[in-house]
Amino acid sequence: MATRKRGEAGDKGTAAILPRRGKKVSSDQIVESILSAVAEHRLPPGTKLGEEHLGEIFGVSRTVIRQALVRLANDRIITLEPNRGAFVAQPTVQEARDVFEARRVIESAVVARLVKAVEPAQLAELRRLIEREDEARAAGDRRALVKLSGEFHLLIAEMAGNGTLTAMLRELVLRSSLVIMLYEIGNRPACPPTEHRELVDAIAARDATAACRIMSEHLGHVEESLNLIDEEPALPDLRSVFVELAR
Amino acid sequence: MATRKRGEAGDKGTAAILPRRGKKVSSDQIVESILSAVAEHRLPPGTKLGEEHLGEIFGVSRTVIRQALVRLANDRIITLEPNRGAFVAQPTVQEARDVFEARRVIESAVVARLVKAVEPAQLAELRRLIEREDEARAAGDRRALVKLSGEFHLLIAEMAGNGTLTAMLRELVLRSSLVIMLYEIGNRPACPPTEHRELVDAIAARDATAACRIMSEHLGHVEESLNLIDEEPALPDLRSVFVELAR
DNA sequence: GGCGGCTGCAGTGTATACAAATATCAGTCC
DNA sequence: GGACTGATATTTGTATACACTGCAGCCGCC
């Protein structure tokens, strides 16, 4: 536990680290790993992220972990409670609704922009992604499905070519992932499977009005499929569970 | 210079620190100070922000400064060049256009939302802010004017009630401030003075269509008033010059 | 005289040490 | 038996130490 050289991280069974060639800053890898875990619903909201613990997992000191946590907190993926630590964020119902509204605003605009300048190769790429979604759905791989669905929305933004809007949407998609983990009802499928396809069809037809409408409705459907009523859902839930056991 | 207790920071003549009662995390104050300096055009793009130097100014160690810099870099207000340090960001022409497009997208939506639920007290508050803008303009106080103009746009977003969109817009307004510093032509006034007033009038009339149009055009006017031609403007300019010479 | 490498310095990147705050738990008192 | 209080242990917050990188100036070399 004394001195720890870099590079030992991989030994510790942390599968999620994508070993980018040394160019990137080390805290980037940690941020990416945690974001990836959120996107794949492997990291439930409310989970405590202890600094020392993460440091052991990634094979770096708390200094680097701290940088990563500060960045994640800045994007509202985690919350930093002073003197208590870092926890995976638990968006409130209000925040959840705000996130979806923001997504409708941004993604409608992004789709409209893409319709104007979409190229056949891009349509093919979108359709390829949809096929991978179908495969994941067929295989019953919910984690892959939810991640691919997010990537689909993000890919549209990237293709639209506004880096600022894309960066913002990336944050929103990740927060959506937290929202879905918190508020989804049972095992209902998050994204209706046909709508992505319809959206690409509308884009291919250069029908901006229809594409915007489908995107907006699609996000509305996802939001409606959630249990966004104004009551405290998660940590209180755990707490009440323990109260039950303690009786 | 050895041990330094908290609370001595204020002694060092750092005027910009608003001494919030101890609740906030100390890096927050530093972030706020730097953001404030950017909003008031006191901190030109490209300025080097040395860690040790900032540490002396704010009376904290590099650790805290670093946290603040990481957060600012995350919001693209500064750029962190590995092993070289932190510099106030210099948005490219492309980024500048992206920022204004993103603002049009978000602020149109925000205005439309506000029109639906605006209250008389809010209209009065907006008009009060416009009057302060007029005063700053009359006094020739450009720094106050540019800051108040940003606050006007932000106030509309806050009133609209979507915290997520507001947070995103806050970032965009700050980056706009950098863009304006970089690309403004001479001393041309950034914001046409009448448009804010027209906007509030349209909101008061509950005319969502007009309000969106005015907001969008207003942002378009600000963008057009800048020298956003596709040539490298500042540091990159130097580089391309040397590339030419090397041929 | 100009150019390339070298060395010293300044500044960042990371780890560690220490202080402060909080959570845990045992013991005591009511 | 339950609640409170104190000590202890764990965890975070901050400062500092040290290693490494990049830059500048100098010197020697061509």
Side-chain angles (χ1 to χ4, degrees), chain B residues 48 50-51 62 66 83 85:
Chain B
K48 163 107 193 228
E51 298 180 357
R62 284 178 48 220
R66 230 136 194 297
N83 288 317

Side-chain angles (χ1 to χ4, degrees), chain B residues 145-199:
Chain B
L145 184 56
V146 72
K147 176 155 198 173
L148 286 170
S149 175
E151 282 176 12
F152 174 80
H153 287 259
L154 224 52
L155 184 56
I156 289 177
E158 276 169 21
M159 287 177 174
N162 185 322
T164 297
L165 285 174
T166 304
M168 290 178 167
L169 184 59
R170 175 168 293 122
E171 184 182 323
L172 291 175
V173 167
L174 284 161
R175 291 178 69 191
S176 302
S177 192
L178 293 174
V179 167
I180 291 169
M181 271 192 270
L182 264 179
Y183 296 106
E184 76 180 341
I185 303 170
N187 286 338
R188 262 212 274 174
C191 261
T194 64
E195 295 186 342
H196 283 182
R197 218 175 281 274
E198 289 170 22
L199 181 61

Side-chain angles (χ1 to χ4, degrees), chain A residues 62-221:
Chain A
R62 284 177 49 219
T63 309
V64 183
I65 298 294
R66 234 139 188 295
Q67 273 187 36
L69 293 180
V70 165
R71 289 171 56 184
L72 290 166
N74 208 58
D75 289 345
R76 316 229 201 168
I77 303 303
I78 68 173
T79 57
L80 288 177
E81 300 185 22
N83 289 316
R84 299 228 21 250
F87 302 83
V88 179
Q90 299 181 301
T92 63
V93 170
Q94 182 61 47
E95 286 170 339
R97 294 195 183 282
D98 284 359
V99 164
F100 275 105
E101 183 182 10
R103 282 190 66 168
R104 276 190 292 271
V105 168
I106 289 180
E107 299 203 54
S108 294
V110 148
V111 161
R113 199 186 204 272
L114 179 60
V115 164
K116 287 184 196 158
V118 69
E119 293 171 19
Q122 296 177 318
L123 289 169
E125 196 176 349
L126 286 171
R127 292 215 160 93
R128 232 175 296 135
L129 195 49
I130 291 177
E131 279 177 28
R132 287 176 60 199
E133 284 185 66
D134 290 339
E135 291 167 15
R137 193 178 297 109
D141 188 346
R142 273 187 73 75
R143 282 180 177 172
L145 183 56
V146 72
K147 176 155 199 173
L148 285 169
S149 175
E151 282 176 13
F152 174 80
H153 287 259
L154 225 51
L155 184 56
I156 289 177
E158 275 168 22
M159 286 176 174
N162 186 321
T164 297
L165 285 174
T166 304
M168 289 178 166
L169 184 59
R170 174 168 293 121
E171 184 182 323
L172 291 175
V173 167
L174 283 161
R175 292 177 68 191
S176 302
S177 191
L178 293 174
V179 167
I180 291 169
M181 271 193 270
L182 265 179
Y183 297 105
E184 77 180 341
I185 304 170
N187 287 337
R188 262 214 274 175
C191 262
T194 63
E195 295 185 343
H196 284 182
R197 217 175 281 273
E198 289 170 22
L199 181 61
V200 174
D201 288 342
I203 294 172
R206 309 265 177 171
D207 187 341
T209 316
C212 282
R213 196 200 66 236
I214 293 171
M215 175 63 92
S216 196
E217 287 177 0
H218 171 52
L219 291 168
H221 292 160

Side-chain angles (χ1 to χ4, degrees), chain B residues 204-224:
Chain B
R206 309 268 178 169
D207 187 342
T209 316
C212 282
R213 198 200 66 237
I214 293 172
M215 175 63 92
S216 196
E217 288 176 359
H218 171 53
L219 292 168
H221 292 160
V222 177
E223 183 176 355
E224 283 166 20

